[in-house]
Amino acid sequence: MIAKTATECLITLKDVSKAYQQPNGQKISILEPINLELRSGEIVALLGPSGSGKSTLMRIIAGLIPPSEGQILYHNRPLVGLNPGVAIVFQNFALYPWLTVLENVELGLKAKGEMPEPRLQKALKMIDIIGLDGFENAYPKELSGGMRQRVGFARALAVEPELLCMDEPFSALDVLTAENLRFELLDLWLEKKIPTKAVLIVTHGIEEAVILADRIVVLGRNPGRIRAELTVTLPHYRDRKTPQFQALVDQVYKILTNPELSCETVVAPAASATTVSQPEPAPSAKYQSLPQVRTGAIAGLLELLEDRKEKDLYRLGQELMLEVDDILPIVEAAKLMDFLIIQEGDLLLTPVGIQFIAGGIDQRKQIVRTQILSNIRLVQQISRMLQAKRNHRISEELILDILEAHFSPKEAMRQLQTAIDWGRYAELYSYDEPGGEIFLESETKDE
Ligand code: ADP
Ligand code: MG
């Protein structure tokens, strides 16, 4: 556990969980009980794959949505309603198109009840600090993405929040613009040009987290939970090329790519970084979650692995310019089919995986058929129901009903689509799109 220091504790989450009630009455757990402290003087990154509840957690901290259970303390007092110390920067800027830059920046101050004159002064000052000088009267549509996000930053910072929350603030920008803004923000923070006491950044980019954060909180999904906490002690400004930086990136990559890995077994801390793991018990028997990946993407990854010596997942991702979020689901799918294993960050093909690559289209279909029938619960359920029905047809509603006991309606739909996609590829069943029915072709072979 982290040693208590003299730093002030801004926010404390005590067993904060979130569940949503489905229209059918079922409850879906989005966040398992979370215990977390945000202290003054630190930048904390919430890092995790999409769907792990990062945005939800941030919104709970901001007081935009209430937790289902647990407590949020703000300066050691229970938080009720909106958190007065928080301002948010959103991924998609969230600007009002009919307001000028200045008017957009003034909005937060207005909401705080500032009088027109000090409001104008504060907004102009922040516009200056954030590099928007001269654009006061421009409209958002006249600005580039990078400039728009500057407006987002200026609006959030103008109210001088104690805690600046950012939800993937750089991910809608091109690489160069993102990197510039990241370092400018870091400048403001390190040189204390803004009175902000702490920063919380939600991200799915490992390098972004390692560049910015003093502490990285790794979230896992289905349901969302804290899998690990890493304290980063590398001095700013951090150089991506140093072995220490790379070691830390590798370490986080390993945690993210091994959803089964319990935090207690997280590998030894990298140089200059200490791992403070907060092991959470593995969630009890939950429904298997399928990554939304087409069979073509799985085949593509396997073929790529066959052809190259580079087996390191992280470097492979870098080489292909793929983010964790892009590559991880494909790796997960290939693992579900037993086509590969991950060993010390390396992707290794299994004998079945090798067989798959060597096979022609018919053999490949046959292999996928065997693999999904033995490994994928949803595919098994669909197949069994199809066999049981006399007309060998089932409506997708039936499957969605089952899935919605475990997933949100949107996610249930994705799960179904993936199962249909995989099953069709394997020629296990067909799908009648307009009718919304899954069916067996009459001559389909029994399995
Ligand atoms: P992240 O930001 O890590 O991608 P989110 O916090 O946006 O994750 O969402 C986590 C999960 O919660 C997702 O599966 C999402 O579909 C679900 N979710 C978010 N908001 C709602 C809601 N209002 N009702 C039902 N499910 C929701
Ligand atoms: Mg999000």
Side-chain angles (χ1 to χ4, degrees), residues 156-207:
L157 289 169
V159 302
E160 308 198 328
E162 274 191 301
L163 175 68
L164 176 67
C165 286
M166 307 190 281
D167 194 351
E168 314 220 9
F170 308 110
S171 51
L173 309 174
D174 66 84
V175 181
L176 213 62
T177 307
E179 188 74 344
N180 279 337
L181 256 186
R182 229 175 256 134
F183 279 104
E184 281 186 45
L185 176 74
L186 209 49
D187 275 341
L188 295 179
W189 168 255
L190 294 171
E191 293 170 20
K192 304 209 172 2
K193 288 188 189 144
I194 46 174
T196 301
K197 287 189 180 160
V199 177
L200 179 70
I201 176 169
V202 161
T203 179
H204 65 261
I206 299 177
E207 292 207 11

Side-chain angles (χ1 to χ4, degrees), residues 303-313 315-316 319 346-348:
E303 283 162 10
L304 205 73
L305 282 172
E306 189 199 25
D307 291 342
R308 73 182 59 210
K309 292 198 189 60
E310 184 57 73
K311 303 278 188 228
D312 183 276
L313 176 53
R315 270 175 276 282
L316 198 66
E319 226 174 274
D346 283 351
L347 297 182
L348 305 178

Side-chain angles (χ1 to χ4, degrees), residues 109-123:
L109 293 161
K110 212 169 174 174
K112 290 230 146 174
E114 289 266 5
M115 299 309 281
E117 191 48 36
R119 192 164 81 205
L120 179 66
Q121 292 316 319
K122 285 186 182 176

Side-chain angles (χ1 to χ4, degrees), residues 349-370:
L349 289 169
T350 60
V352 190
I354 292 168
Q355 232 183 334
F356 175 88
I357 298 171
I361 181 73
D362 287 339
Q363 282 153 304
R364 285 186 174 195
K365 281 173 183 277
Q366 178 59 48
I367 292 169
V368 169
R369 187 183 163 92
T370 311

